[in-house]
Amino acid sequence: MEFVFTQLSGFGAAFASLALDPLTYAYLIVSVFLGITFGALPGLTATLAVTILTGFFGNKIPLDYSLIALLGAYVGAIYGGSYPSILLNIPGTAASAATAMDGYPLAKAGRGGEALGLTTTASFIGTLIGTFALLIFVWLLLLLSQNIASPEKALLALFGILLSGTLMSEDLVIKGWIAGLIGLAMAMVGLDPLLSEPRYTFGWSYMLSGFQVVPVLMGAFAVPQIIEGMRHMEIGQMVQLKGRILPNLAAIRRYLPTITRSGVIGTGVGALPGVGEDVAGWVSYGVGKTVSKEGDKFGKGSIEGLLSSETANNACIGGALIPLLVLGIPGSPPAAALMGAFKINNIIPGPTIDPAIILRVVAIMVLASLTMFVMGLFTARIFIRILRIPQMIFLPVVMVLTTIGSFSVGGGINDLYLMLGVGFVAYFMNLLKYPIAPLVIGVILGGLFDETFRRSLLISGGDLAVFASRPVAAILLTLNLGLVLSQVPMMKRAVRRLRGKVA
């Protein structure tokens, strides 16, 4: 009970300090607005919004304001995808794909305003559910941090890379591992963290500082998405918005069990590293259709179906931050971009992170969800006008913003070369179904793995038993080995299929 009181008082202090700062609201309004805009424009995503703002803000402003901007954009973008889903039947983001199933039929029936009011309210409640779960699980961080040293950090970083590769692969898991190991190799470039000797720089002074996180983020997440968006322009017939955009409190009360269930599902799915908001929306939608007494109405304009998907994809945000902050493993691609922002602020998420940072993240999430709720209700028609901007106009603008964000890091023209190089590699990796997020996670966690792995060997005199001699280290080593061995049968089947095709 005392621990709960301590956590609540810590959250209250963090919330009060942020809420009483006028600059907090300036950053919130701008970032949530940009996030909703990125979510509303088909072809842009929450990952891209967080990535671009990381380039613009990153470590150039105080950490609190940087987190406000990034989390505000994250929350806004996941919600913003509902606008084109409902009015155009084109999901603004992958997270809002399930929303289109019932949102668009409702809009065609003249209930578009009601649908937007409900999605705004459901998104607000879902974000709060995920945020509350994040606050509860802070205790796990404090429990783990008591038994974490260099061997555990190294094994945890390796587990994060392997797990992200496993969960984010579309077909062969080994493709995800390859992407993660490429990122790990990229993290080795630069000055040796222990001996300060240059490694793999080939005499190029720019490489002494290694691959900068922001250009890598921009190249990996932004450039392929912009290229793909320019190749496949989606044009939809917008349904005329009818009705007032206000929350239907009677429907909210009626479907409160659905909202609560969807919020829990979204949080749980988000806590699975590498899964993401789109999966949360579909899982919740599927569960809702199965257990609902009106399951036959799903896909035909069901309020329950709409609330199932929209609550879950926003609750997933808080869930995705749990493994990111507690274990250093992002729960979704936007969380991976957020992890890059932590890295450039010299904060390594994981068991050794300062709990005060988590409490401030929780406070920012509450403020961001409130801002999103108010902005969604009172400025919705502005975002509907934004939807009419052709992709051929806004995608080049996004490319310019991406370029400015990379250039502003400080490496000059070389950072742009790095961004474009990583971008084209990532684009072709996408074509070959190699996941990109593990590569980024490898770059971010690679430095931690390199330093702690070698420090452990230095302390033990080169004895590898140091990675199994402590209880937590032994558990993490078992998890790593179990993860690799669990994929051996699948790899054997893939090899047999390949041999059969060749024969």
Side-chain angles (χ1 to χ4, degrees):
M1 192 66 185
E2 181 181 351
F3 176 78
V4 174
F5 177 77
T6 301
Q7 290 302 105
L8 290 176
S9 62
F11 165 73
F15 185 87
S17 66
L18 290 167
L20 294 174
D21 184 355
L23 277 177
T24 294
Y25 300 101
Y27 280 103
L28 276 174
I29 291 171
V30 172
S31 63
V32 172
F33 182 87
L34 287 174
I36 296 176
T37 301
F38 270 68
L41 291 171
L44 306 185
T45 64
T47 306
L48 187 56
V50 175
T51 301
I52 288 179
L53 288 183
T54 298
F56 271 91
F57 295 123
N59 57 357
K60 302 178 184 67
I61 58 177
L63 179 62
D64 278 350
Y65 299 139
S66 179
L67 290 176
I68 289 169
L70 299 174
L71 290 170
Y74 190 176
V75 171
I78 297 300
Y79 158 72
S82 62
Y83 285 87
S85 294
I86 292 171
L87 298 176
L88 290 171
N89 200 26
I90 298 174
T93 63
S96 59
T99 301
M101 298 292 293
D102 291 288
Y104 188 66
L106 284 168
K108 288 180 68 177
R111 301 172 66 186
E114 180 187 359
L116 283 175
L118 286 169
T119 57
T120 302
T121 309
S123 297
F124 170 65
I125 297 173
T127 305
L128 290 183
I129 292 173
T131 302
F132 181 69
L134 175 62
L135 180 61
I136 291 175
F137 279 94
V138 170
W139 68 270
L140 181 61
L141 165 69
L142 301 177
L143 180 65
L144 288 173
S145 63
Q146 298 173 2
N147 299 293
I148 292 294
S150 289
E152 289 83 6
K153 289 180 184 178
L155 291 168
L156 192 58
L158 181 61
F159 183 67
I161 296 169
L162 292 176
L163 185 62
S164 65
T166 301
L167 296 176
M168 294 182 183
S169 299
E170 290 185 38
D171 47 9
L172 295 177
V173 169
I174 196 170
K175 289 184 176 181
W177 293 350
I178 291 171
L181 293 176
I182 290 173
L184 182 60
M186 291 171 66
M188 303 295 174
V189 175
L191 287 177
D192 186 311
L194 299 181
L195 304 176
S196 296
E197 292 288 336
R199 300 182 303 182
Y200 313 114
T201 61
F202 302 101
W204 190 7
S205 60
Y206 168 72
M207 300 304 295
L208 288 174
S209 57
F211 288 103
Q212 297 296 319
V213 172
V214 171
V216 171
L217 280 173
M218 296 287 190
F221 288 133
V223 174
Q225 192 171 310
I226 293 168
I227 295 173
E228 194 64 24
M230 295 294 286
R231 289 184 66 236
H232 303 287
M233 297 284 187
E234 290 188 273
I235 301 174
Q237 183 65 41
M238 184 179 294
V239 175
Q240 185 178 359
L241 183 66
K242 296 180 181 179
R244 300 175 64 187
I245 305 172
L246 290 175
N248 186 333
L249 297 180
I252 295 297
R253 283 195 298 270
R254 178 184 176 187
Y255 294 112
L256 193 58
T258 298
I259 292 172
T260 304
R261 182 192 66 237
S262 302
V264 172
I265 291 173
T267 303
V269 172
L272 299 173
V275 179
E277 291 79 12
D278 53 336
V279 176
W282 281 115
V283 169
S284 179
Y285 188 84
V287 172
K289 185 175 182 178
T290 301
V291 304
S292 174
K293 296 178 181 178
E294 302 175 343
D296 57 320
K297 295 182 180 179
F298 276 54
K300 302 174 183 177
S302 167
I303 296 295
E304 191 173 0
L306 184 71
L307 294 174
S308 294
S309 61
E310 271 304 301
T311 305
N313 61 29
N314 279 269
C316 186
I317 299 172
L321 294 179
I322 294 173
L324 170 64
L325 296 174
V326 175
L327 300 174
I329 304 171
S332 66
L338 186 63
M339 189 174 181
F342 278 111
K343 174 70 180 296
I344 64 178
N345 280 283
N346 297 315
I347 298 171
I348 302 298
T352 57
I353 193 174
D354 184 357
I357 293 177
I358 295 183
L359 293 175
R360 298 189 83 76
V361 167
V362 172
I364 291 168
M365 287 286 291
V366 173
L367 289 168
S369 62
L370 285 166
T371 305
M372 177 267 293
F373 180 66
V374 173
M375 193 172 288
L377 291 179
F378 294 103
T379 62
R381 296 187 186 277
I382 295 176
F383 297 110
I384 293 170
R385 292 191 182 96
I386 291 174
L387 276 176
R388 295 187 171 93
I389 300 175
Q391 281 182 295
M392 65 183 65
I393 293 177
F394 68 74
L395 283 175
V397 171
V398 171
M399 187 64 200
V400 171
L401 294 176
T402 302
T403 303
I404 294 172
S406 290
F407 188 80
S408 64
V409 174
I413 193 68
N414 291 320
D415 280 339
L416 298 185
Y417 293 146
L418 174 60
M419 179 195 77
L420 292 174
V422 172
F424 283 115
V425 170
Y427 176 73
F428 286 108
M429 287 178 68
N430 275 332
L431 293 180
L432 296 172
K433 295 186 178 181
Y434 282 80
I436 300 304
L439 183 147
V440 175
I441 294 169
V443 172
I444 295 170
L445 293 180
L448 176 65
F449 172 78
D450 177 31
E451 183 176 352
T452 54
F453 180 80
R454 292 173 57 220
R455 180 176 285 120
S456 300
L457 291 178
L458 286 173
I459 294 173
S460 67
D463 186 1
L464 290 172
V466 70
F467 296 104
S469 58
R470 293 158 53 94
V472 176
I475 292 172
L476 290 171
L477 179 61
T478 302
L479 288 174
N480 277 286
L481 292 174
L483 186 62
V484 173
L485 294 175
S486 68
Q487 300 301 319
V488 171
M490 188 179 299
M491 291 181 188
K492 287 182 177 179
R493 288 195 295 269
V495 170
R496 284 197 294 268
R497 286 198 301 269
L498 183 61
R499 285 176 177 172
K501 290 180 180 179
V502 172

Short mmCIF file of all heavy atoms in Angstrom, two decimals, residues 127 203 377 446 479:
data_model
loop_
_atom_site.label_atom_id
_atom_site.label_comp_id
_atom_site.label_asym_id
_atom_site.label_seq_id
_atom_site.Cartn_x
_atom_site.Cartn_y
_atom_site.Cartn_z
N THR A 127 -6.56 5.48 -24.44
CA THR A 127 -5.23 5.99 -24.10
C THR A 127 -5.06 6.02 -22.58
O THR A 127 -3.99 5.67 -22.06
CB THR A 127 -5.02 7.40 -24.68
OG1 THR A 127 -5.24 7.37 -26.08
CG2 THR A 127 -3.60 7.88 -24.43
N GLY A 203 39.29 5.52 -42.03
CA GLY A 203 39.96 6.81 -42.10
C GLY A 203 39.05 8.00 -42.28
O GLY A 203 39.52 9.13 -42.47
N LEU A 377 -12.66 17.05 -30.84
CA LEU A 377 -14.06 17.47 -30.82
C LEU A 377 -14.28 18.84 -31.46
O LEU A 377 -15.30 19.07 -32.11
CB LEU A 377 -14.58 17.48 -29.38
CG LEU A 377 -14.74 16.12 -28.68
CD1 LEU A 377 -15.25 16.32 -27.26
CD2 LEU A 377 -15.68 15.21 -29.46
N GLY A 446 22.66 -1.76 -30.02
CA GLY A 446 23.97 -2.35 -30.32
C GLY A 446 25.09 -1.80 -29.47
O GLY A 446 25.97 -2.54 -29.01
N LEU A 479 16.37 -17.55 -22.17
CA LEU A 479 15.39 -16.95 -23.07
C LEU A 479 15.98 -16.73 -24.46
O LEU A 479 15.32 -16.99 -25.48
CB LEU A 479 14.90 -15.62 -22.50
CG LEU A 479 13.97 -15.70 -21.28
CD1 LEU A 479 13.69 -14.31 -20.74
CD2 LEU A 479 12.66 -16.39 -21.64
#
